[in-house]
């Protein structure tokens, strides 16, 4: 039993006077409901003390989202509302009092006591108090949590707010640590500005998870777990990824069925096909999405494509659209500017593009100022420009003060975080490995993000095609290349590994894998812009800090990210160029010309058979010309580095332009019999002008909001071919590409519609290597809304477009004026 302090006494009544309306509180066997005289209400289950409804605006607006599959009978945690996480968040630690508890603890799966109510004098609010103590726990839970405790949870319903407060007491003699989290699910208008806005549920954007034990940017020493972290040899998937993949492959079956059925491939029953092989995950399609580098151009163009692939985007599941492709994908990789998009989306709880870019204070993608200027004082971040720069300097200094090397990349990463990571001051304690703590990711409900960077060996000045390519996943950091051929647990970066183990006299380190630092590592090419901070208005403290760094490095090292201590010290020494150095340096992932991050997705152990390659490179007049695909293909032919990876044949860059392969989508690798190995099909999606000239400079520091929105819309049109108006069969052909390798594995004859699609979109080996004229692509869609439908070998045909409500106001995002 939990006793509530300061219980309200009964109010004296006054006879002969008219009593005003009062807040009403009703209690049943399983819940408590409070309603104000003005109509606002909230409903709280006794199971988990979970708030399952909060209605405001006089009783007209529901603010919480509940899953249609939510169970409220007390048999399992509630999916939706405001679940409580206590005393541990995510998977329990390996040691300590909470090590035996279920994930997210017991508060959300225990029955609470209702302790009573308190009302304000004006009856404009009502407070409900709930209690949980050791005596409320089941015998099974008491056996694994013997600590004596008491919790009082207060929920105050106001006319314009729902406030929550908790008091946790240690009722025993032994100290214990705990975590507390309100795991809120908000119902948010997907596009408040659009005429046909609908309420789309998604978990609150402002839930980037802090994984740094210091609570800030600096890493910190922690006790190593009993099973001390170690470097594992490449050549197979980690145990963590293998287990996650098993869950993910089961989860994608339903969204893949929905997607393929909506694609309506003539002569093919998608539901029947998937049902026939539902028990054999290796027979089913397995695909990924790769988002190229290219600064904010790449972020914006890629955001439009991911919005097109996301079933949560308004109208994305209508005919001619591709919504749901993201929900059925296994991996999403990003590099440089593409890493900002992928990182921001996944670090912020797999938020939708429209949620990330929503207008108003508290949104994440508010890019009114460049990184070199800092956020507005009145914006969602609290710092003015002067304080912003002081914060950058202090955070990086904190890391240096605890013994870690710092470079320009640290400052770049902190600046990026203000633009991309939810949380005060850019979430300095948010780590990339914390994605593995997101329940959506744990359950396999979202794809796995992968960020790519290039290795830079000691003394190396030019990054060659055979440089080591490193990848970051929520679980690991390392490379499958034969040079390093190993992976370190990402959570323990900063720990001193030697020959693959942590010596007994060394402690472990956590918090090194700061999310902004990893995104900055993949985009370290932009470090040069920090050198512009010698202008006026920049605090001396930051100028001096950057000057000190420049005094210790050469001009050729301005682009490095320092990962000292090298986790691969004395690892794989015969071939690892950094094995003898305690310093490991990385650079921008596109410096080897592989600007589309295909490398992690073509590793044989991942068995990805289709890759949607979104290319926003600046190869010719800031448009792509296939250089990235050429680089990956050429690398796959180099037996000293390719290490079993295979890639379909790719033509030269002149052929890309002369045949128009860089203007419209093209499939590479359609004929599996003509491949040298198990290469995937590449669905090449080049940035091209559909409705806007989206070829802004990679190094453009600011972009007007109207242009920003237009670039994202253009990216949506690029991915959908104008929602199917450039080619009404496009979605069918995408479905055929997804299924092609699966058809091969199951011995299924491809439908005639797919054969027609492959004739239309597959590169057939034709070459035209003549030097092309200056590249000046024309719009695919007319400004007046009509669509130029291009058929190969025929004149353009103008047709009317389908309705598309992905309004420009939805796509408020991206262009912060950073590059």
């Amino acid at each position: 039993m939990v006793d509530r302090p300061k219980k309200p006494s009964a109010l004296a009544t006054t006879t002969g006077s008219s009593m005003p309306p009062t807040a009403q509180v009703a209690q049943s066997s399983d819940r408590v409901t409070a309603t104000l005289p003005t109509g606002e209400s909230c409903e709280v289950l006794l199971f988990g003390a979970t708030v399952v409804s909060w209605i405001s605006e006089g009783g007209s607006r529901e603010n919480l989202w509940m899953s249609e599959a939510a169970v409220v009978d007390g048999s399992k945690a509630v999916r939706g509302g405001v679940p409580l996480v206590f005393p541990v968040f995510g998977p329990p630690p390996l040691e300590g009092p909470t090590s035996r508890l279920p994930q997210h603890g017991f508060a959300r799966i225990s029955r609470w006591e209702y302790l009573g109510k308190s009302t304000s004098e004006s009856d404009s609010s009502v407070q409900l108090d709930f209690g949980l103590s050791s005596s409320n726990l089941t015998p099974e839970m008491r056996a694994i949590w013997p600590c004596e405790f008491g919790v009082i949870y207060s929920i105050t319903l106001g006319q314009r707010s729902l406030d929550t407060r908790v008091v946790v007491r240690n009722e025993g003699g032994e100290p214990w640590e705990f975590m507390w989290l309100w795991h809120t699910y908000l119902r948010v208008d997907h596009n408040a500005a659009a005429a046909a806005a609908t309420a789309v549920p998604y978990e609150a954007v402002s839930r980037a998870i802090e994984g740094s034990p210091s609570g800030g940017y600096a890493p910190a020493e922690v006790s190593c777990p009993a099973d001390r972290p170690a470097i594992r040899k490449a050549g197979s998937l980690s145990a963590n990824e293998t287990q996650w993949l098993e869950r993910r492959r089961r989860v994608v079956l339903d969204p893949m069925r929905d997607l393929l059925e909506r694609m309506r491939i003539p002569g093919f029953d998608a539901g029947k096909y998937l049902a026939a092989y539902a028990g054999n995950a290796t027979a089913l399609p397995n695909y990924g999405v790769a988002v190229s580098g290219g600064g904010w151009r790449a972020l914006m163009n890629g955001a439009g494509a991911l919005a097109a692939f996301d079933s949560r985007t308004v109208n994305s599941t209508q005919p001619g659209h591709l919504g749901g492709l993201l929900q059925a994908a296994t991996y999403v990789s990003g590099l440089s500017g593409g890493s900002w998009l992928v990182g921001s989306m996944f670090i912020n709880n797999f938020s939708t593009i429209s949620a990330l870019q929503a207008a108003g204070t508290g949104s994440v993608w508010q890019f009114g100022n460049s990184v070199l200027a800092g956020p507005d004082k009145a914006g969602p971040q609290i710092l003015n420009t002067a304080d912003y720069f002081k914060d950058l300097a202090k955070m990086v200094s904190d890391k240096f003060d605890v013994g870690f090397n710092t470079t320009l990349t640290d400052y770049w990463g902190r600046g990026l975080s203000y633009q991309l990571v939810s949380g005060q001051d850019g979430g300095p304690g948010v780590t990339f490995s914390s994605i593995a703590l997101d329940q959506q990711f744990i359950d396999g409900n979202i794809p796995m993000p992968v960020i790519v960077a290039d290795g830079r060996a000691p003394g190396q000045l030019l990054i060659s095609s055979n440089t080591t390519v490193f990848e970051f996943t929520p679980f690991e950091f390392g490379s499958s290349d034969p040079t390093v051929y190993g992976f370190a647990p990402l959570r323990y970066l900063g720990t001193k590994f030697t020959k693959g183990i942590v010596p007994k006299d060394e402690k472990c380190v956590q918090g090194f894998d700061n999310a902004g630092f990893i995104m900055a590592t993949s985009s370290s090419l932009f470090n040069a812009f920090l050198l512009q901070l010698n202008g006026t208005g920049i605090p001396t403290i930051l100028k001096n800090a950057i000057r000190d760094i420049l005094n210790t490095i050469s001009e050729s090292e301005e682009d490095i990210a320092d990962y000292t201590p090298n986790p691969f010290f004395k690892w794989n020494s015969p071939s690892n160029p950094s094995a003898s150095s305690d310093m490991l340096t990385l650079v921008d992932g596109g410096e080897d010309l592989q600007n589309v991050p295909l490398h992690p997705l073509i590793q044989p152990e991942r068995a990805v058979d289709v890759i949607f390659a979104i290319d926003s490179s600046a190869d010719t007049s800031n448009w792509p010309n296939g250089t990235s695909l050429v680089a990956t293909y050429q690398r796959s032919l180099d037996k000293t580095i390719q290490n079993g990876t295979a890639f379909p044949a790719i033509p030269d860059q002149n052929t890309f332009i002369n045949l128009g392969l860089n203007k419209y989508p093209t499939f590479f690798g359609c004929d599996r019999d003509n491949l040298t190995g198990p290469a995937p099909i590449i669905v090449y999606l080049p940035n091209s002008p559909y409705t806007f000239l989206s070829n802004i400079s990679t190094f453009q520091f600011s972009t007007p909001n109207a242009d920003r929105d237009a670039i994202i819309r253009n990216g949506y049109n690029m991915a959908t071919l104008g929602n199917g108006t450039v080619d009404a069969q496009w979605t069918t052909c995408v479905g055929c590409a997804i299924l092609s390798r699966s058809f091969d594995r199951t011995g299924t004859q491809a439908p005639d519609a797919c054969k027609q699609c492959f004739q239309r979109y597959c590169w057939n080996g034709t070459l035209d290597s003549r030097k092309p004229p200056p590249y000046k692509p024309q719009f695919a869609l007319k400004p007046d809304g009509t669509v130029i439908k291009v058929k190969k070998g025929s004149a353009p045909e103008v047709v009317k477009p389908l309705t598309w409500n992905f309004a420009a106001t939805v796509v408020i995002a991206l262009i912060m004026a950073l590059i």
Side-chain angles (χ1 to χ4, degrees):
M1 174 68 69
V2 178
D3 291 326
R4 181 172 57 145
K6 299 181 180 179
K7 292 183 180 179
S9 58
L11 298 177
T13 59
T14 304
T15 59
S17 62
S18 176
M19 298 294 292
T22 61
Q24 300 297 313
V25 176
Q27 179 181 2
S28 66
S29 61
D30 67 340
R31 68 193 64 201
V32 177
T33 303
T35 307
L36 297 180
T38 48
E40 294 79 12
S41 66
C42 69
E43 185 175 329
V44 186
L45 297 181
L46 294 178
F47 180 73
T50 306
V51 182
V52 293
S53 175
W54 165 36
I55 299 176
S56 61
E57 298 182 9
S60 63
R61 179 184 177 85
E62 175 60 70
N63 299 286
L64 299 180
W65 174 75
M66 289 287 292
S67 169
E68 294 180 357
V71 177
V72 296
D73 61 2
S75 61
K76 61 187 297 186
V78 177
R79 176 68 169 173
V82 189
L84 305 179
V85 175
F86 171 83
V88 63
F89 174 76
L94 298 177
E95 298 177 338
T98 60
S99 61
R100 299 171 61 196
L101 292 179
Q103 182 168 281
H104 290 335
F106 51 70
R108 63 181 187 149
I109 54 174
S110 297
R111 184 177 175 87
W112 291 59
E113 298 177 62
Y114 172 53
L115 303 179
K117 70 168 184 175
S118 303
T119 57
S120 63
E121 292 183 1
S122 63
D123 253 334
S124 61
S125 66
V126 59
Q127 175 179 309
L128 307 177
D129 291 331
F130 298 85
L132 183 70
S133 67
S134 304
S135 62
N136 298 116
L137 300 183
T138 64
E140 295 78 12
M141 195 62 66
R142 285 286 289 164
I144 59 177
W145 177 258
C147 304
E148 298 294 329
F149 74 99
V151 177
I152 295 178
Y153 177 35
S154 301
I155 302 168
T156 302
L157 172 67
Q159 293 178 354
R160 297 184 179 181
S161 64
L162 186 75
D163 297 328
T164 56
R165 186 176 71 253
V166 65
V167 176
V168 179
R169 297 197 304 258
N170 184 349
E171 305 285 7
E174 297 295 326
W176 41 269
E177 296 180 351
F178 72 92
M179 300 177 181
W180 182 279
L181 174 74
W182 285 271
H183 203 285
T184 308
Y185 294 75
L186 294 177
R187 180 179 294 274
V188 181
D189 286 344
H190 192 85
N191 177 17
T198 56
V200 176
Y202 60 86
E203 296 188 55
V205 171
S206 55
R207 286 185 51 241
I209 301 171
E210 293 196 358
S212 175
S214 73
Y217 185 67
E221 288 187 343
V222 297
S223 297
C224 291
D227 185 10
R228 295 172 75 83
I231 309 299
R232 73 168 185 90
K233 186 178 293 187
S236 62
L237 298 179
S238 69
N240 284 331
E241 185 170 345
T242 299
Q243 294 166 8
W244 173 87
L245 192 60
E246 292 174 356
R247 295 190 292 271
R248 180 63 180 163
R249 300 299 291 149
R250 292 194 297 267
V251 167
V252 300
L253 191 60
D254 287 341
M256 187 177 294
R257 179 187 299 109
D258 293 342
L259 174 68
L260 292 173
E261 286 180 343
R262 282 189 279 104
M263 289 174 166
R264 299 179 180 177
I265 301 174
F268 176 69
D269 188 331
K272 184 177 179 180
Y273 179 81
L274 294 180
Y277 297 101
N280 181 10
T282 59
L284 298 175
N286 179 29
Y287 64 85
V289 180
V291 187
S292 82
W296 290 103
R297 178 188 63 251
L299 192 157
M300 290 182 282
N301 185 58
L306 290 189
F309 295 162
D310 194 338
S311 62
R312 299 170 297 176
T313 301
V314 172
N315 287 338
S316 67
T317 57
Q318 297 299 310
H321 297 251
L322 293 172
L325 191 151
L326 182 61
Q327 276 65 33
T330 307
Y331 300 97
V332 181
S333 62
L335 178 157
S336 198
S339 79
W340 307 343
L341 168 62
V342 174
S344 185
M345 187 178 194
F346 282 82
I347 289 164
N348 294 305
N349 207 38
F350 195 59
S351 295
T352 62
I353 299 301
S354 54
L356 286 167
Q357 62 194 28
T361 298
S363 300
V364 181
W365 286 356
Q366 301 303 307
F367 303 134
N369 294 344
S370 81
V371 162
L372 302 186
D376 287 326
K377 186 174 183 179
Q381 305 289 354
I382 66 170
L383 299 182
N384 57 26
T385 299
D387 289 338
Y388 166 72
F389 285 118
K390 290 178 182 178
D391 173 73
L392 296 189
K394 183 183 184 305
M395 289 292 181
V396 177
S397 176
D398 288 345
K399 179 178 177 180
F400 180 81
D401 289 344
V402 295
F404 293 92
N405 295 349
T406 56
T407 64
L408 294 181
T409 304
D410 290 275
Y411 294 96
W412 178 239
R414 287 301 303 132
L416 283 177
S417 295
Y418 272 86
Q419 308 293 346
L420 303 174
V421 179
S422 175
Q424 184 172 315
D425 302 343
V430 174
T431 58
F432 197 75
S433 61
S434 67
I435 295 172
L437 302 178
D438 184 341
Q439 191 63 47
Q440 297 178 98
F441 182 79
I442 292 169
D443 294 340
N445 290 327
I446 61 177
M448 176 177 290
V450 187
I451 287 180
V452 170
D454 286 342
R456 180 169 174 171
Q460 183 180 14
L461 298 181
L462 296 177
I463 303 301
S464 64
S465 61
N466 63 354
T467 192
T468 301
V469 178
F470 286 87
E471 66 176 57
F472 300 84
T473 74
F475 297 128
E476 292 186 309
F477 161 71
S479 178
S480 295
D481 286 348
T483 48
V484 171
Y485 204 63
F487 287 88
L490 182 65
R491 187 182 184 190
Y492 290 104
L493 275 189
T495 302
K496 293 182 179 179
F497 292 88
T498 300
K499 294 183 179 180
I501 64 172
V502 182
K504 292 183 178 180
D505 59 345
E506 292 287 352
K507 282 195 170 185
C508 287
V509 170
Q510 292 181 358
F512 190 97
D513 64 311
N514 176 270
F517 182 60
I518 288 178
M519 291 186 285
T521 298
S522 184
S523 59
S524 66
L525 178 66
F526 296 94
N527 285 354
F529 292 111
L530 293 178
L531 303 182
Q532 300 184 28
L533 295 180
N534 289 324
T536 60
I538 306 304
T540 302
I541 184 175
L542 183 58
K543 287 184 184 179
N544 291 342
I546 292 179
R547 183 194 62 208
D548 291 343
I549 287 177
L550 295 178
N551 287 339
T552 62
I553 63 175
S554 66
E555 183 177 344
S556 62
E557 294 178 315
E558 291 167 357
D559 64 337
I560 66 169
D562 194 331
Y563 278 71
T564 304
N566 177 10
F568 305 106
F569 180 58
K570 296 186 178 181
W571 170 267
N572 204 28
S573 296
S575 60
N576 180 1
S578 298
S580 61
S581 173
D582 66 352
M583 174 183 288
L584 176 67
T585 56
L586 307 182
V587 295
D588 190 297
E591 289 199 30
D592 62 352
L593 299 184
Q594 295 189 90
N595 201 38
V596 179
L598 299 164
H599 184 271
L601 305 186
I602 63 174
Q603 297 307 312
E605 55 268 26
R606 288 197 168 115
V608 174
D609 45 40
V610 184
I611 303 174
F612 291 85
I614 304 167
D615 192 358
S616 304
S617 301
D619 302 323
T620 176
S621 301
N622 289 329
W623 301 108
N625 68 0
T627 292
S628 178
L629 267 61
V630 172
T632 301
Y633 171 55
Q634 291 176 342
R635 193 179 197 267
S636 73
L637 302 178
D638 185 346
K639 292 184 179 180
T640 66
I641 194 68
Q642 55 101 331
N643 206 36
T645 58
F647 201 73
I650 302 294
D652 61 273
Q653 292 91 329
N654 288 350
T655 294
F656 265 87
I657 295 176
N658 291 329
L659 298 186
L661 305 181
N662 67 328
K663 182 170 176 58
Y664 293 104
T666 303
F667 299 170
F668 295 97
C670 297
D671 188 354
R672 194 175 186 180
D673 293 335
N674 287 333
L675 300 174
T676 58
I681 288 180
I682 305 299
V683 178
Y684 184 58
L685 300 172
N687 180 29
S688 187
Y690 283 77
T691 52
F692 190 76
L693 291 174
S694 53
N695 62 328
I696 64 171
S697 170
T698 304
F699 305 108
Q700 182 168 314
F701 270 69
S702 62
T703 305
N705 286 350
D707 290 356
R708 172 198 65 189
D709 299 344
I711 293 173
I712 301 176
R713 176 187 288 183
N714 190 80
Y716 193 106
N717 277 316
M718 173 207 68
T720 63
L721 288 188
N723 310 319
T725 50
V726 172
D727 181 359
Q729 301 305 311
W730 171 237
T731 56
T732 294
C733 294
V734 170
C736 291
I738 290 173
L739 287 161
S740 179
R741 294 289 191 260
S742 178
F743 285 158
D744 292 339
R745 289 193 293 272
T746 60
T748 301
Q749 182 73 25
D752 289 341
C754 289
K755 296 176 182 178
Q756 296 169 11
C757 283
F758 295 149
Q759 290 176 353
R760 184 180 311 177
Y761 285 102
C762 292
W763 177 59
N764 61 8
T766 300
L767 296 174
D768 185 351
S769 301
R770 296 171 299 167
K771 182 179 179 180
Y775 186 62
K776 297 180 180 179
Q778 302 299 308
F779 287 107
L781 309 182
K782 284 193 171 184
D784 63 1
T786 57
V787 178
I788 301 174
K789 186 174 183 181
V790 179
K791 298 179 179 178
K792 292 186 178 180
S794 63
E797 174 188 353
V798 178
V799 297
K800 289 291 182 181
L802 299 175
T803 301
W804 180 45
N805 287 328
F806 190 75
T809 47
V810 167
V811 287
I812 300 179
L814 299 73
I815 334 272
M816 125 196 136
L818 157 54
I819 33 205

